[in-house]
């Protein structure tokens, strides 16, 4: 994986091809580069970023220097959401094995408390788990902690994702789909009831509470192009959701 980023060293297969990261930045230095869930990367991969974060440049496998001074690097991570638990009944002077992972932050905490706990967990991971405090020092104060999704943001996420579904139905099936009134309010309440699952949880709830029931409701109908479909009711029977359409 490290060779894929910066290219294989001389004498190895693929040396002339260069690295995927270094080639891309050389071709266009004005980039936003996202590394998702960076905590899952091998420590040897993380070492590649030391030179980038310190000097703004990186030497690839062919010996060419690539400059990152015009790029924005973003690392995302779930560090701090869960931490290794410990037995609080054990004696403090006796070493005890770590317990199961426990949730470190919960909805309802103040943002200041969430930020403090997350940053403490990040510092512990880089210094004690990875033994890479120098990488943490390169990040400095550029660590942004996101709060849990609030009710207002959840409403906006729901509206956007529902609009995307209606747009897909129009584009792929040439149907005009309308959801209003009580069915819309019920669907919004169901899909935004568990905000600790984030925006992805809203999308998953929409799939199970709206997309799948809609597919079942439309399956037996003879649909005509440019037909208008209106959802007039939504109800659940156990774990099964049914839509009434006309």
């Amino acid at each position: 994986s490290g060779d894929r980023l910066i290219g294989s060293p001389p004498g190895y297969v693929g040396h002339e091809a260069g690295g995927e990261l270094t080639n891309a930045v050389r071709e266009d230095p004005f980039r936003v580069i996202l590394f998702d869930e960076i905590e899952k990367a091998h420590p040897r991969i993380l070492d590649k970023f030391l030179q980038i974060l310190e000097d703004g440049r990186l030497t690839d496998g062919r010996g060419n220097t690539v400059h990152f001074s015009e790029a924005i690097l973003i690392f995302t991570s779930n560090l701090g959401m869960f931490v290794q638990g410990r037995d609080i009944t054990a004696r403090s002077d006796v070493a005890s094995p770590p317990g199961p992972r426990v949730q470190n932050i919960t909805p309802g905490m103040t943002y200041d408390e969430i930020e403090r706990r997350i940053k403490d967990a990040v510092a512990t991971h880089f210094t004690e788990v990875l033994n890479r405090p120098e990488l943490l020092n390169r990040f400095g104060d550029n660590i942004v902690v996101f709060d849990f999704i609030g009710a207002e943001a959840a409403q906006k996420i729901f509206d956007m994702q529902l609009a995307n579904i209606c747009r897909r139905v129009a584009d792929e099936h040439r149907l005009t789909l309308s959801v209003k009134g009580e069915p819309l309010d019920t669907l919004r309440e169901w899909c935004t009831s568990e905000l600790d699952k984030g925006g992805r949880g809203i999308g998953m709830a929409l799939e199970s509470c709206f997309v799948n029931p809609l597919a079942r409701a439309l399956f037996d109908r003879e649909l005509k192009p440019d037909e208008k479909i209106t959802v007039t009711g939504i109800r659940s029977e156990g774990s099964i959701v049914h839509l009434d359409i006309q």
Side-chain angles (χ1 to χ4, degrees), residues 45 60 63 133 135 179 193:
I45 300 296
D60 66 10
L135 188 58
V179 188
S193 60

Side-chain angles (χ1 to χ4, degrees), residues 104-122:
N104 188 34
I105 59 174
T106 57
M109 286 183 176
T110 64
Y111 176 75
D112 291 340
E113 178 69 9
I114 292 175
E115 183 181 38
R116 183 188 64 80
R117 290 191 176 205
I118 291 291
K119 288 188 174 181
D120 287 348
V122 170

Side-chain angles (χ1 to χ4, degrees), residues 68-125:
F68 286 75
S69 53
E70 306 297 339
I72 297 175
L73 271 65
I74 300 174
F75 303 90
T76 68
S77 173
N78 291 321
L79 282 173
M81 287 292 295
F82 294 87
V83 295
Q84 204 72 36
R86 61 183 180 86
D87 185 2
I88 60 175
T89 63
R91 291 170 48 187
S92 59
D93 58 338
V94 177
S96 59
R101 283 163 54 86
V102 296
Q103 191 165 353
N104 188 34
I105 59 174
T106 57
M109 286 183 176
T110 64
Y111 176 75
D112 291 340
E113 178 69 9
I114 292 175
E115 183 181 38
R116 183 188 64 80
R117 290 191 176 205
I118 291 291
K119 288 188 174 181
D120 287 348
V122 170
T124 300
H125 181 79

